[in-house]
């Protein structure tokens, strides 16, 4: 039998998601075996939510928690299934099977957290899973003795390194050839579009293999000997 939801459940989830609302947790409980109703909500954070949990019920909850450190804070949404220590085995099994329907009702969330008793339901354990699921942890314990931002130093160091590399890579004292390169390979340009008039283009077109290639050699003192000048590739 499909799980039913009280209309207040979806309204509470939307309220928890809203940036304009102070609500940061909502909890749901079962009314009978196949209906979920709103059990409570609040703006007092994890401690307030934890105090609302019942020992003889399966509580589903949607939490909004802030993760990260002073350099990077991110809002995380967490779906929680809490089985109280006095909850029967059949009720536990039934709740587990209904998880996909509950996930569809609450929508997008970053982490699913399961707790089978109060010893598993601590903020430290929940946030540890959130951190591990994020794929990056920028706080490697450096903030334990007090926090001091290094963002300015990192920015200045990066800028100085970039300027130094830029100077090393810049090309200076460029000399351009004003004539044809030495040891260039003559090619047949007949039939190709040119910007020169046909008569001028014809002068440099080797139709019979008798092109005067001496004029392609670099004069002495203008780029070195032909043997040391890189050939132009056509």
């Amino acid at each position: 039998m499909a799980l039913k939801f009280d209309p207040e459940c979806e309204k509470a989830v939307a309220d928890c998601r809203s940036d304009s609302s102070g609500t940061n947790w909502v909890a749901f409980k079962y009314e009978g075996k196949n209906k979920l109703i709103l059990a409570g909500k609040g703006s007092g954070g994890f401690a307030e939510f934890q105090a609302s949990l019942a020992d003889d019920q399966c509580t589903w909850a949607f939490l909004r928690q802030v993760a990260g450190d002073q350099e990077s804070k991110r809002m995380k949404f967490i779906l929680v299934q809490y089985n109280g220590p006095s909850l029967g085995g059949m009720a536990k099994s039934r709740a587990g099977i209904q998880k996909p329907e509950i996930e569809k009702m609450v929508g997008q969330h970053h982490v699913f957290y399961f707790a089978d008793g109060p010893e598993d339901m601590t903020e430290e354990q929940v946030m540890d899973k959130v951190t591990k699921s994020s794929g990056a942890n920028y706080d490697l314990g450096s903030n334990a003795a007090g926090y001091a931002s290094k963002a300015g130093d990192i920015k200045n160091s990066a800028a100085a390194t970039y300027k130094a590399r830029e100077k090393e890579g810049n090309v200076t004292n460029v000399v351009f050839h004003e004539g044809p390169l030495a040891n260039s390979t003559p090619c047949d340009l007949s039939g190709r579009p040119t910007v020169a008039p046909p008569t001028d283009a014809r002068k440099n077109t080797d139709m019979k293999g008798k092109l005067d290639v001496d004029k392609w050699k670099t004069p002495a003192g203008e780029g070195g000997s032909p043997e040391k000048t890189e050939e132009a590739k056509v």
Side-chain angles (χ1 to χ4, degrees):
M1 185 174 179
L3 183 64
K4 297 179 180 180
F5 298 94
D6 185 279
E8 293 300 316
C9 293
E10 291 190 22
K11 293 180 182 179
V13 171
D15 184 41
C16 189
R17 288 187 185 277
S18 175
D19 292 335
S20 61
S21 171
T23 301
N24 49 33
W25 68 271
V26 294
F28 315 102
K29 65 180 181 180
Y30 283 92
E31 184 178 77
K33 297 180 179 180
N34 293 293
K35 184 177 181 179
L36 213 60
I37 63 173
L38 183 65
K41 65 178 184 177
S43 56
F46 192 89
E48 183 180 49
F49 156 69
Q50 192 177 32
S52 72
L53 297 172
D55 289 344
D56 60 347
Q57 294 180 7
C58 171
T59 301
W60 292 91
F62 188 71
L63 312 180
R64 182 175 68 181
Q65 294 280 103
V66 177
D69 58 16
Q70 286 87 338
E71 295 286 4
S72 176
K73 292 184 180 296
R74 304 168 298 280
M75 198 66 69
K76 298 292 184 179
F77 296 106
I78 307 156
L79 176 62
V80 174
Q81 179 187 354
Y82 174 76
N83 290 340
S86 303
L87 186 66
M90 291 295 292
K92 290 182 179 180
S93 299
R94 186 167 52 249
I97 294 173
Q98 294 168 336
K99 178 188 171 187
E101 296 176 88
I102 296 170
E103 287 183 316
K104 185 177 179 180
M105 187 272 292
V106 301
Q108 183 272 338
H109 53 282
H110 297 96
V111 173
F112 169 69
Y113 186 84
F114 173 81
D116 199 19
E119 64 279 359
D120 299 328
M121 195 69 251
T122 67
E123 186 171 14
E124 181 180 3
Q125 289 171 297
V126 172
M127 295 311 297
D128 181 62
K129 185 168 184 179
V130 169
T131 299
K132 290 178 179 177
S133 70
S134 299
N137 182 10
Y138 300 105
D139 182 5
L140 301 179
S142 59
N143 297 338
Y147 178 79
S149 176
K150 301 294 183 182
D153 295 339
I154 294 172
K155 180 179 179 181
N156 293 334
S157 176
T161 300
Y162 175 79
K163 289 179 180 179
R165 291 290 183 267
E166 186 181 32
K167 290 181 179 179
E168 294 174 5
N170 284 347
V171 180
T172 58
N173 300 323
V174 178
V175 178
F176 295 95
H177 280 277
E178 296 181 355
L181 294 175
N183 294 340
S184 295
T185 303
C187 62
D188 183 2
L189 298 178
S190 60
R192 301 186 186 183
T194 64
V195 295
T199 53
D200 291 336
R202 200 172 293 115
K203 294 177 183 179
N204 290 319
T205 302
D206 185 7
M207 302 297 293
K208 299 181 180 180
K210 297 180 180 181
L211 186 66
D212 181 11
V213 296
D214 289 338
K215 67 180 181 181
W216 294 73
K217 295 180 179 179
T218 303
E222 295 186 11
S225 61
E227 291 77 8
K228 296 183 179 181
T229 307
E230 182 180 0
E231 294 184 358
K233 298 179 180 179
V234 178

